[in-house]
Amino acid sequence: LGVNHYIFSPPHNHTGFWSADNLAKADFKKKMAHKYRDISALNKAWGTDFKSFEDDIMPKMPFGKNPLIMRLDYAKWYSDSLMDFTDKACSIIRKHFPNTPMAMPLGCIFESINGGQGQCKSMAAKIAAKYSMTARWTGLAHRRDFALTNVSTRRISSAARFYGAKFGVEAAAGVVKEKVPAAIYEALANSASMFHNDPSSICSEIQQYGKYKNFVKCLPVHCDIAVFYPYQAEICGEIKNITRLYEELADIRRHCDYELADELMISDGFLSGIKDLILPKNCPIAQSTAETLSNWEKKGGRIWYIKGNNPTILESGQRLRLGEGIEDFKRFGEFDGSYYTDHINIISKFNPKTGSIEFLKKKQKQ
């Protein structure tokens, strides 16, 4: 990513698609040959004319100009490769340090693969659970807007809760006085059992941290509303404006608390624990996930989208007859300037203007 302030930073680092070496090309060919079996099947799916799997079938750059199915195959292989490596690394670490408390640092707001990472945050949380590690979000309170920063935090904490991993936070370096209350509430609102911060931040704002220290509690979160996170569409380049997606997710957070769920979590049974699923605007959904959502809806699950923004099939662009269109997100709650988080037995309330944190009795939902 071009990060070079660490002692162990490599001299050659920049954003890009890190897959031009011979090992990567060989593995990509192997995976595609296993999926398509015959080169003609791959050519039909990709719109290419390769002679055999011995050709250099690695997608050419710029990435966005390649056919969609090719991009989807490449992105999935890219992400799966890194997560397979992550699993193996964690296995080795646990073998030699079986009882040591450990955390897996997960950085970067977005998950596009041109950052050279290809990290699926829900899969990372699943691996963290497998090896009894804490899934730690690195970037806490990186923005002044709590609703916006909570999107990145909830992306990991939702997955950690679902898969059974502990969740931790690390405040971004240089947390100023105005951000301290939001940083504390971010930990509280996401069931953080680890709160890591740079000493420089704590020392420079020690009075603020002292004021809020009693609010650093690991309170279980329990929310029966979820928002779909289109991870597959993001990594293959079909989300044209990821910042706009995050702003929409932040707008929903102003109205209600929610979990974030992607395709992996849904395939692993996430829907059984919620009542409502909200689909963001311009939301391409993979065919297999769309089928799962359709079956869930038939069994009583409620799916919502903004009118005029019907969800589409990722692979084909076909409009989906799924869910009910609504005018806005006010049906889930009016925004009064404060943020509310659903815990098991209580609701916590945060006012970003005053920095106040309160605990309220939980009302019975209709």
Side-chain angles (χ1 to χ4, degrees):
L1 282 171
V3 175
N4 56 17
H5 63 275
Y6 296 116
I7 292 175
F8 52 82
S9 295
H12 181 192
N13 56 6
H14 56 78
T15 57
F17 299 88
W18 291 71
S19 58
D21 63 278
N22 291 331
L23 291 174
K25 289 182 177 181
D27 190 67
F28 183 66
K29 290 178 182 180
K30 179 181 177 181
K31 295 297 191 302
M32 293 305 101
H34 181 266
K35 176 178 179 178
Y36 289 104
R37 303 293 179 183
D38 188 270
I39 195 66
S40 61
L42 179 142
N43 284 329
K44 182 178 180 180
W46 288 9
T48 51
D49 57 356
F50 295 115
K51 303 302 180 185
S52 75
F53 285 109
E54 295 306 310
D55 293 347
D56 184 2
I57 65 172
M58 188 67 76
K60 301 298 185 288
M61 301 301 151
F63 182 64
K65 293 187 177 181
N66 289 313
L68 172 62
I69 302 301
M70 178 192 287
R71 281 185 276 128
L72 191 57
D73 283 338
Y74 172 83
K76 189 175 185 307
W77 163 80
Y78 198 108
S79 180
D80 286 351
S81 296
L82 178 65
M83 302 324 299
D84 180 59
F85 171 83
T86 303
D87 188 290
K88 287 182 171 65
C90 290
S91 176
I92 293 169
I93 292 167
R94 268 289 170 241
K95 177 182 178 181
H96 295 284
F97 302 94
N99 302 311
T100 304
M102 292 186 182
M104 182 190 295
L106 305 172
C108 302
I109 300 171
F110 308 130
E111 293 167 74
S112 57
I113 59 175
N114 68 336
Q117 60 167 9
Q119 168 190 256
C120 176
K121 290 176 180 173
S122 58
M123 176 57 80
K126 186 176 182 179
I127 294 171
K130 179 179 178 181
Y131 295 102
S132 299
M133 296 181 178
T134 298
R136 194 192 80 186
W137 165 229
T138 299
L140 185 69
H142 61 288
R143 298 167 173 174
R144 291 186 182 275
D145 185 340
F146 171 80
L148 195 57
T149 191
N150 188 66
V151 175
S152 303
T153 315
R154 191 51 69 94
R155 170 74 175 120
I156 300 172
S157 75
S158 285
R161 274 189 294 283
F162 176 61
Y163 288 115
K166 289 183 178 180
F167 173 71
V169 292
E170 175 190 358
V175 173
V176 295
K177 178 180 179 180
E178 293 78 11
K179 289 186 178 182
V180 172
I184 297 296
Y185 190 69
E186 199 76 77
L188 172 65
N190 288 279
S191 302
S193 59
M194 169 191 284
F195 189 89
H196 170 83
N197 205 338
D198 291 328
S200 60
S201 295
I202 297 175
C203 292
S204 63
E205 304 299 342
I206 194 164
Q207 289 185 330
Q208 279 287 87
Y209 279 105
K211 177 181 176 182
Y212 289 95
K213 66 181 180 181
N214 291 331
F215 292 110
V216 182
K217 303 176 180 178
C218 185
L219 295 180
V221 170
H222 179 73
C223 188
D224 54 15
I225 299 173
V227 178
F228 177 69
Y229 188 88
Y231 171 71
Q232 288 192 34
E234 179 183 5
I235 62 171
C236 72
E238 284 302 287
I239 303 294
K240 304 305 180 185
N241 192 329
I242 192 67
T243 300
R244 187 176 299 167
L245 170 66
Y246 269 60
E247 289 171 348
E248 183 183 3
L249 298 181
D251 185 40
I252 300 172
R253 185 62 178 90
R254 294 183 179 95
H255 292 279
C256 67
D257 191 12
Y258 62 76
E259 301 284 14
L260 266 178
D262 65 2
E263 296 90 343
L264 175 67
M265 294 166 66
I266 288 173
S267 68
D268 284 341
F270 176 85
L271 297 174
S272 63
I274 63 168
K275 295 179 180 178
D276 297 89
L277 181 69
I278 302 172
L279 304 179
K281 296 177 183 176
N282 305 315
C283 179
I285 302 173
Q287 177 72 53
S288 59
T289 303
E291 292 170 1
T292 301
L293 294 181
S294 179
N295 291 332
W296 179 69
E297 186 178 38
K298 290 174 183 177
K299 295 177 181 177
R302 298 181 298 203
I303 300 175
W304 312 92
Y305 62 89
I306 295 296
K307 285 183 178 179
N309 290 273
N310 300 63
T312 58
I313 295 289
L314 173 60
E315 294 89 338
S316 65
Q318 178 184 350
R319 290 284 178 181
L320 271 168
R321 293 183 179 180
L322 195 67
E324 179 180 341
I326 54 177
E327 297 291 342
D328 51 45
F329 302 116
K330 291 181 179 178
R331 71 174 295 124
F332 298 102
E334 292 284 346
F335 181 57
D336 62 4
S338 293
Y339 296 96
Y340 300 83
T341 300
D342 290 330
H343 302 281
I344 295 294
N345 298 314
I346 61 172
I347 293 174
S348 60
K349 176 184 177 181
F350 172 60
N351 185 319
K353 289 185 177 180
T354 64
S356 65
I357 299 172
E358 303 175 55
F359 297 102
L360 313 171
K361 288 185 178 180
K362 201 163 190 176
K363 295 180 180 179
Q364 197 69 27
K365 287 188 177 182
Q366 294 184 350

